[in-house]
Amino acid sequence: MTFRARPARTLLLSTAALVFGLLAAPVTAQEKPKDHADDPAAAYEPSMTTLAEIQVEIPGLKPDDPVMTQEEFQRATEIYFQRCAGCHGVLRNGATGKALTPDLTRANGFDYLKSFITYGSPAGMPNWGTSGDMTEADVDMMARYLLLEPPAPPEWGMPDMKASWKVIVAPEDRPTEKMNDLDIENLMSVTLRDAGQIALIDGGTYEIKEVIDTGYAVHISRISASGRYLFVIGRDAKVDMIDLWMEKPGVVATIKIGIEARSVETSKFEGYEDKYAIAGGYWPPQYVIMDGNTLEPLKIVSTRGNIYDEQIYHPEPRVASILSSHFKPEFIVNVKETGKILMVDYSDLKNLKTTEIEAERFLHDGGLDSTHRYFMVAANARNKIAVVDTKESKLTALIDTGGQTPHPGRGANFTHPVYGPVWATSHLGDETVALVGTDPEGHADYAWKIVDSFYALGGGSLFIKTHPNSQHLYVDATLNPDAEISASVAVFDIAKMGGDPAVDPEYTTLPIGEWAGIPDGQPRVVQPEFNKEGTEVWFSVWNAKDKESAIVVVDDKTLELKHVIKDPRLITPTGKFNVLNTQKDVY
């Protein structure tokens, strides 16, 4: 079955092609992230150092440069880090978002930039101006900032890491058995993005059990192979290791592995459970292997190098995502800008062996198929999905998504009535969902192909989700500038998906934002996540940090509202990670 192209439907505010930002919070841009040196955890947490907080100078102003004060330049650098660097790169060389180097921005001009920052674009660019997230003065300032050369941040090596590394509770002082009555497998680790915290919420009672101070804008939570330790990493590259066995779960070790980061993972192969942890940096571009019990940094490896196809040196190849192989003692390290997937063998760190797989650009996020053997990752710039056989450590296929920009999160695995086991991704600037066949033995004719593509709510989707015990597929549209669309979710009945390429499966729209009952702001619904039984699906209703947010729980069988979690501590909730599903790679 081939991908069937359809005419794009205009659901966004602008038809322009420039992307300015993506995984950034719809919150007031001007305030700095919380300084951890002022909070109760200051006894053991290092003060955060992010790109937003580094004092920078305007690089060599020329006579024709736009007028900008040093104060404005510092403020614009902070906003760029918080809103734009994740997609466009610290040095503005581009990735998921377009390159924003002065040679390109000056060709387009000030008015052009100001318009795109204000109105957004169909490819996932938020409408910063019309949404109210940036003032008119901020938009004007950012347009001028993008006409100037970007500042170069400092490096971050072993001395810096060692200085930031703290073991708060030594392994020998930790419990030898679980000391609380928590149903750990059904805990949800919820990112409270702009509070610099995570919340541990009981999946059965909906009660917030703990709120734990972490790094700024935690990107992901990962669980150790044993299920005991929770690892989180913030955009400030701060890794926190949380012991879920303690009477009151809390941080037992912490480290900053750089200045900006997104990914953390632990060793899962038999015999190496909980032995190592790994974190990947956006800046500096590198990955770090750490002791799995203490976070002591053991090995730093730079990812700077040549782009796989052009063989041109790139100064900022960021580590986009990391997974742990279930078939070998290897970490799967995805290097964005060079288009390389690194299979890092952690069985002998002194004699480190790495298999370098040429995949495609720009590698972003992805997940394993239902057997855990095959890894699929989105290559945003080339609209492809790369498939890697983790048992053989080699590239299996490159799949064209039909001109759309995939954004799967970790994707969604389910058994299609016609095509058998499939893995699904949604897209940024297009409202379609694509299904990839993943069963080369039982359904060889469909394996590693787009077997179906159909419409969901709209462009700007970040996450797609199902569960082995569910018959539903959930697709968000978080970054769509239409308030009604961004506050809703499309739900497909898997059993009703047919094999007729001319007929789209129907979907049910869940008004999650309306169910949350939040009257102010433009709350966006993001990241469906199932409880451990696969009977409920949770949605973050993500609002500005000075406005009310919520988590909405839906009964998966009936698609009816089951519960709304509201609490003043739920400040900009975004990602949610069920302990069991994350530990076992169930998605």
Side-chain angles (χ1 to χ4, degrees):
M1 192 68 68
T2 57
F3 181 94
R4 54 182 186 280
R6 298 183 176 85
R9 295 188 290 183
T10 305
L11 291 177
L12 306 182
L13 295 182
S14 167
T15 57
L18 178 66
V19 183
F20 181 74
L22 177 61
L23 289 175
V27 298
T28 304
Q30 293 83 356
E31 294 186 22
K32 289 185 178 180
K34 188 173 87 177
D35 185 347
H36 283 254
D38 293 332
D39 64 37
Y44 64 83
E45 291 193 2
S47 296
M48 291 187 304
T49 304
T50 67
L51 294 177
E53 295 174 322
I54 294 171
Q55 295 300 308
V56 294
E57 299 293 330
I58 303 177
L61 282 173
K62 302 179 183 64
D64 60 342
D65 283 343
V67 176
M68 192 167 223
T69 67
Q70 178 60 46
E71 182 181 3
E72 285 181 314
F73 191 79
Q74 184 68 40
R75 180 178 165 86
T77 299
E78 176 184 341
I79 292 175
Y80 183 82
F81 166 73
Q82 292 178 340
R83 298 288 180 268
C84 320
C87 284
H88 299 283
V90 173
L91 302 180
R92 297 199 222 138
N93 287 307
T96 303
K98 301 289 186 182
L100 295 172
T101 48
D103 59 316
L104 301 174
T105 57
R106 290 197 169 205
N108 288 318
F110 171 81
D111 291 335
Y112 182 87
L113 294 170
K114 188 175 178 181
S115 175
F116 282 111
I117 298 169
T118 301
Y119 296 108
S121 85
M125 158 78 172
N127 51 319
W128 295 115
T130 57
S131 69
D133 293 318
M134 286 189 191
T135 65
E136 186 175 346
D138 284 335
V139 171
D140 182 284
M141 178 180 67
M142 293 308 297
R144 285 181 284 132
Y145 176 77
L146 293 177
L147 296 171
L148 298 173
E149 293 288 339
E155 298 295 318
W156 191 272
M158 186 62 80
D160 304 293
M161 289 188 204
K162 286 288 183 74
S164 74
W165 171 50
K166 305 289 181 185
V167 178
I168 296 95
V169 182
E172 61 268 23
D173 297 327
R174 297 171 197 166
T176 56
E177 60 183 17
K178 184 169 169 282
M179 301 296 291
N180 56 58
D181 60 358
L182 297 174
D183 181 0
I184 290 179
E185 289 186 342
N186 207 23
L187 282 178
M188 292 280 187
S189 176
V190 180
T191 297
L192 307 180
R193 186 188 189 277
D194 290 288
Q197 298 171 325
I198 61 144
L200 296 180
I201 304 181
D202 189 298
T205 66
Y206 315 121
E207 178 184 356
I208 298 177
K209 294 295 186 180
E210 298 291 341
V211 174
I212 300 172
D213 290 300
T214 57
Y216 167 68
V218 164
H219 194 67
I220 57 172
S221 297
R222 290 292 176 257
I223 310 297
S224 66
S226 67
R228 173 175 181 170
Y229 293 110
L230 170 67
F231 294 79
V232 297
I233 189 167
R235 283 193 57 187
D236 56 355
K238 183 170 176 288
V239 179
D240 289 302
M241 178 180 178
I242 297 165
D243 188 354
L244 299 176
W245 278 14
M246 295 197 306
E247 183 176 355
K248 183 179 180 181
V251 175
V252 294
T254 186
I255 190 173
K256 259 178 67 69
I257 61 95
I259 301 174
E260 186 178 1
R262 295 295 187 281
S263 53
V264 67
E265 181 61 289
T266 68
S267 52
K268 291 184 176 178
F269 186 66
E270 185 178 358
Y272 292 89
E273 297 92 338
D274 296 15
K275 184 174 179 61
Y276 296 117
I278 183 173
Y282 264 29
W283 191 271
Q286 60 193 23
Y287 64 85
V288 182
I289 299 176
M290 300 161 283
D291 183 277
N293 283 312
T294 65
L295 295 184
E296 178 185 3
L298 304 174
K299 190 90 171 181
I300 303 173
V301 181
S302 173
T303 53
R304 289 184 172 103
N306 291 334
I307 298 168
Y308 88 93
D309 53 348
E310 297 175 0
Q311 294 295 293
I312 297 172
Y313 178 79
H314 197 292
E316 191 191 354
R318 299 170 290 173
V319 177
S321 56
I322 304 174
L323 275 80
S324 190
S325 172
H326 293 262
F327 286 84
K328 290 182 178 180
E330 290 183 340
F331 291 121
I332 308 164
V333 178
N334 298 283
V335 185
K336 237 183 199 327
E337 282 76 9
T338 56
K340 297 174 181 178
I341 300 172
L342 309 179
M343 309 297 288
V344 179
D345 186 336
Y346 52 76
S347 63
D348 183 356
L349 298 189
K350 279 289 186 182
N351 301 284
L352 191 69
K353 296 177 183 177
T354 301
T355 300
E356 183 178 284
I357 299 174
E358 295 184 352
E360 193 49 279
R361 295 152 56 192
F362 295 115
L363 296 173
H364 187 59
D365 205 358
L368 300 167
D369 78 314
S370 58
T371 69
H372 293 163
R373 175 172 175 174
Y374 296 97
F375 170 66
M376 280 152 297
V377 61
N380 294 141
R382 302 289 173 79
N383 301 325
K384 299 204 186 278
I385 298 293
V387 182
V388 170
D389 183 342
T390 65
K391 186 176 181 179
E392 300 295 333
S393 299
K394 62 174 59 175
L395 186 70
T396 296
L398 280 175
I399 305 166
D400 195 318
T401 60
Q404 311 310 327
T405 304
H407 195 282
R410 290 208 158 184
N413 291 302
F414 62 92
T415 300
H416 190 279
V418 176
Y419 306 120
V422 297
W423 177 88
T425 181
S426 53
H427 300 90
L428 286 173
D430 176 83
E431 58 266 46
T432 58
V433 173
L435 307 184
V436 176
T438 61
D439 184 15
E441 295 183 5
H443 297 77
D445 291 344
Y446 304 130
W448 318 131
K449 301 173 184 177
I450 299 287
V451 295
D452 202 2
S453 174
F454 48 81
Y455 286 122
L457 274 175
S461 174
L462 295 183
F463 296 100
I464 186 167
K465 185 69 72 172
T466 189
H467 188 278
N469 295 335
S470 172
Q471 276 298 304
H472 291 121
L473 178 68
Y474 297 83
V475 186
D476 67 23
T478 310
L479 294 184
N480 197 296
D482 184 292
E484 184 176 356
I485 292 174
S486 67
S488 302
V489 169
V491 188
F492 294 88
D493 187 332
I494 293 171
K496 294 181 180 179
M497 292 182 179
D500 186 344
V503 179
D504 274 348
E506 295 182 356
Y507 60 82
T508 300
T509 301
L510 301 185
I512 303 296
E514 178 184 323
W515 286 349
I518 297 175
D520 298 323
Q522 184 181 337
R524 301 173 186 265
V525 174
V526 64
Q527 208 239 4
E529 174 70 318
F530 279 85
N531 62 350
K532 71 173 183 178
E533 294 90 358
T535 58
E536 295 176 354
V537 59
W538 294 34
F539 300 91
S540 293
V541 183
W542 173 26
N543 209 351
K545 68 178 178 181
D546 59 348
K547 299 186 185 303
E548 186 178 43
S549 291
I551 293 174
V552 170
V553 182
V554 173
D555 186 295
D556 176 65
K557 186 175 182 179
T558 65
L559 300 184
E560 295 177 353
L561 174 64
K562 191 163 185 180
H563 192 80
V564 177
I565 304 173
K566 289 186 178 180
D567 190 290
R569 294 171 291 177
L570 290 179
I571 299 171
T572 56
T574 52
K576 301 166 300 305
F577 302 88
N578 171 265
V579 167
L580 182 66
N581 292 339
T582 306
Q583 175 194 1
K584 302 294 185 183
D585 287 312
V586 176
Y587 39 81

